Amino acid sequence: MSAIKLQINTKERRYPIFIGSGLITKLSKLLNSCSIKFSKCLLVIDSKVPKTLINKILKSLPKKQTIIHIFNANELNKNQSSVNKILTILLKKNFHRNDCLISIGGGITGDVSGFASSIFKRGIKFINIPTTLLAQVDSSIGGKTGINSIHGKNLIGSFYQPNLVISDINFLKTLPKREIICGYGEILKHSLIANKKFFLFLNKNANKILNLKSPFIEKSIHRSCLIKKRIIEIDEKEKNLRKILNFGHTFAHAYEATLQYSKKLNHGEAVILGIMNASKFSLKNNLLSNDEFKLIKNHLIQFKLLIKLKKKISPNKLNHIVSFMTKDKKNTTKKINLILLKKIGQPILNLNFDNKKLYSFLKKELID
Ligand code: GLY
């Protein structure tokens, strides 16, 4: 077992992230190395995780009372009822604070399980085993947990850092290409907000990364996690700097909500569209140079990452999109707060725009 170890140090908690192949066959060893002990554990497992991998996890866990809850993870089930089901199991089985919940799945499973962990007896041990690229490079790190509401995405939730994150690359080999592209969107986001050299690395090696070639995939996951680590260690609760991780997401969340979280457009695809929109909006507002905008646009086109927005959303939904953007968590006034780019690797925070400006920008994107 060769693993890269990254230590996250926040005010709330210090915890390791392990990245490598075959880690799920060594769970007892990893738990021991972090001195994590419990007598009962609830495994919340995304129904899409292959049985063979679940069996490997069960075999390698310490011999404790283990309860399994299979969760049909999708944006529509990222709701209060799913959280209640988990809480009911924990209550019925009389879990204590020192017991443990282990999430095995993508970002939705991690967000729902993490939220349940944070509110059960005001906090139970939480281990995240992310099985998608998106969850390994983004959602499993930094303690954001939560659920959707009819008013928008992730509007109910908490900051709750896990005790341990185990990112096993072998899960990725079981995923459809669409899922890999979605995770790649978040890797690309990290490069654009923090490190041009990393962007140039992606621009050179995107095909190898998208095809999960070693050591390119491990390197991309590691660098992505490092970027996120540095941001959340400075601003765990998203008072300011952490907002840059939302680059592209204000657009993305509005598209997802407008489409009622349908499978037509999943989160990562929406993020890639949002990255394109936010880059173009940066160009139109004379913040980003045309040369750098073209680098981003060509990257998205060359590696076939972009879907046509107008194929997914009808122009008569424009009002809905802008209305969801006004409900974004980052907004503190009636205006829409956006993270934009000055250069690749140099984001700008705290810019606010009128609805009308976004309306006319998006009208062109949806109609032209
Ligand atoms: N995915 C954005 C964040 O964790 O802040």
Side-chain angles (χ1 to χ4, degrees):
M1 174 185 67
S2 75
I4 304 171
K5 184 180 174 189
L6 213 74
Q7 183 74 22
I8 306 284
N9 301 317
T10 67
K11 272 201 199 109
E12 295 281 317
R13 192 167 275 160
R14 297 157 76 90
Y15 60 96
I17 298 176
F18 291 98
I19 304 163
S21 294
L23 302 182
I24 53 162
T25 58
K26 305 279 184 293
L27 287 177
S28 285
K29 221 171 157 182
L30 289 174
L31 290 172
N32 277 337
S33 75
C34 312
S35 310
I36 298 179
K37 292 187 175 64
F38 47 83
S39 26
K40 285 185 214 146
C41 80
L42 173 65
L43 306 184
V44 179
I45 308 177
D46 181 342
S47 55
K48 290 183 282 303
V49 177
K51 276 214 172 72
T52 47
L53 296 178
I54 299 177
N55 288 337
K56 281 187 183 174
I57 293 175
L58 291 174
K59 254 190 181 168
S60 79
L61 272 174
K63 299 277 166 278
K64 304 277 174 187
Q65 189 185 340
T66 302
I67 296 153
I68 294 178
H69 173 60
I70 302 292
F71 173 51
N72 179 15
N74 58 52
E75 291 288 348
L76 289 173
N77 282 342
K78 192 175 169 181
N79 59 21
Q80 293 189 26
S81 150
S82 299
V83 173
N84 280 340
K85 278 183 193 153
I86 296 173
L87 295 175
T88 304
I89 299 171
L90 295 171
L91 288 165
K92 274 191 176 162
K93 300 288 176 186
N94 197 21
F95 271 60
H96 300 300
R97 267 196 190 144
N98 273 340
D99 291 323
C100 185
L101 192 155
I102 305 182
S103 164
I104 304 163
I108 297 171
T109 311
D111 281 7
V112 170
S113 309
F115 184 46
S117 307
S118 76
I119 56 175
F120 180 75
K121 298 191 176 171
R122 300 205 175 88
I124 186 173
K125 280 182 193 154
F126 176 53
I127 296 174
N128 201 341
I129 305 186
T131 61
T132 63
L133 184 58
L134 190 143
Q136 293 189 354
V137 299
D138 188 18
S139 60
S140 64
I141 317 154
K144 272 192 183 175
T145 79
I147 52 176
N148 301 330
S149 101
I150 49 156
H151 300 282
K153 202 174 147 79
N154 297 337
L155 294 183
I156 301 163
S158 60
F159 287 99
Y160 191 66
Q161 303 295 341
N163 296 77
L164 168 67
V165 179
I166 300 166
S167 287
D168 192 327
I169 311 286
N170 286 347
F171 282 115
L172 307 183
K173 296 173 188 154
T174 67
L175 298 176
K177 185 78 185 246
R178 190 177 177 199
E179 268 299 332
I180 301 295
I181 291 177
C182 290
Y184 183 83
E186 299 286 359
I187 297 178
L188 177 65
K189 174 197 81 180
H190 286 143
S191 77
L192 293 174
I193 58 167
N195 190 333
K196 183 161 180 182
K197 234 170 113 188
F198 184 33
F199 171 76
L200 296 175
F201 167 83
L202 297 179
N203 211 23
K204 198 168 155 204
N205 299 300
N207 273 333
K208 293 186 192 111
I209 299 163
L210 290 164
N211 286 306
L212 306 177
K213 294 268 179 287
S214 249
F216 302 93
I217 184 67
E218 289 86 347
K219 222 170 168 174
S220 319
I221 296 173
H222 182 215
R223 283 201 197 170
S224 238
C225 292
L226 263 178
I227 290 172
K228 186 153 183 185
K229 163 186 158 74
R230 286 182 190 136
I231 297 167
I232 60 147
E233 284 182 351
I234 296 171
D235 179 18
E236 181 183 354
K237 300 266 167 82
E238 201 170 293
K239 298 269 185 276
N240 202 32
L241 180 71
R242 185 168 180 167
K243 288 183 196 159
I244 63 173
L245 290 168
N246 289 299
F247 176 63
H249 283 58
T250 317
F251 292 96
H253 287 167
Y255 300 148
E256 291 180 84
T258 302
L259 288 170
Q260 292 166 327
Y261 309 109
S262 108
K263 286 189 179 136
K264 219 169 141 183
L265 184 73
N266 57 30
H267 177 63
E269 290 165 336
V271 166
I272 293 174
L273 276 169
I275 288 175
M276 178 66 178
N277 296 144
S279 305
K280 196 162 179 185
F281 199 72
S282 305
L283 170 78
K284 297 277 178 208
N285 284 282
N286 302 317
L287 298 166
L288 185 68
S289 72
N290 197 32
D291 284 352
E292 292 227 310
F293 170 69
K294 274 195 188 149
L295 266 177
I296 301 170
K297 183 178 170 184
N298 290 342
H299 182 84
L300 295 174
I301 293 171
Q302 184 187 348
F303 298 106
K304 300 188 176 57
L305 301 170
L306 215 51
I307 329 168
K308 282 219 181 317
L309 180 59
K310 46 194 150 193
K311 279 199 180 156
K312 301 281 172 183
I313 305 185
S314 134
N316 62 25
K317 294 280 187 221
L318 200 50
N319 275 324
H320 283 80
I321 299 174
V322 178
S323 157
F324 278 118
M325 289 180 90
T326 62
K327 291 183 189 157
D328 188 87
K329 289 187 294 306
K330 292 190 300 324
N331 301 335
T332 49
T333 64
K334 278 188 184 155
K335 293 191 175 189
I336 295 171
N337 183 281
L338 288 177
I339 308 301
L340 298 179
L341 288 183
K342 192 153 87 186
K343 285 184 178 170
I344 294 178
Q346 284 186 33
I348 317 174
L349 275 159
N350 299 328
L351 293 176
N352 298 304
F353 298 89
D354 282 333
N355 302 3
K356 277 188 196 145
K357 190 154 185 170
L358 264 310
Y359 188 95
S360 47
F361 171 76
L362 284 169
K363 195 170 168 193
K364 287 210 178 81
E365 297 299 296
L366 278 166
I367 295 168
D368 296 350

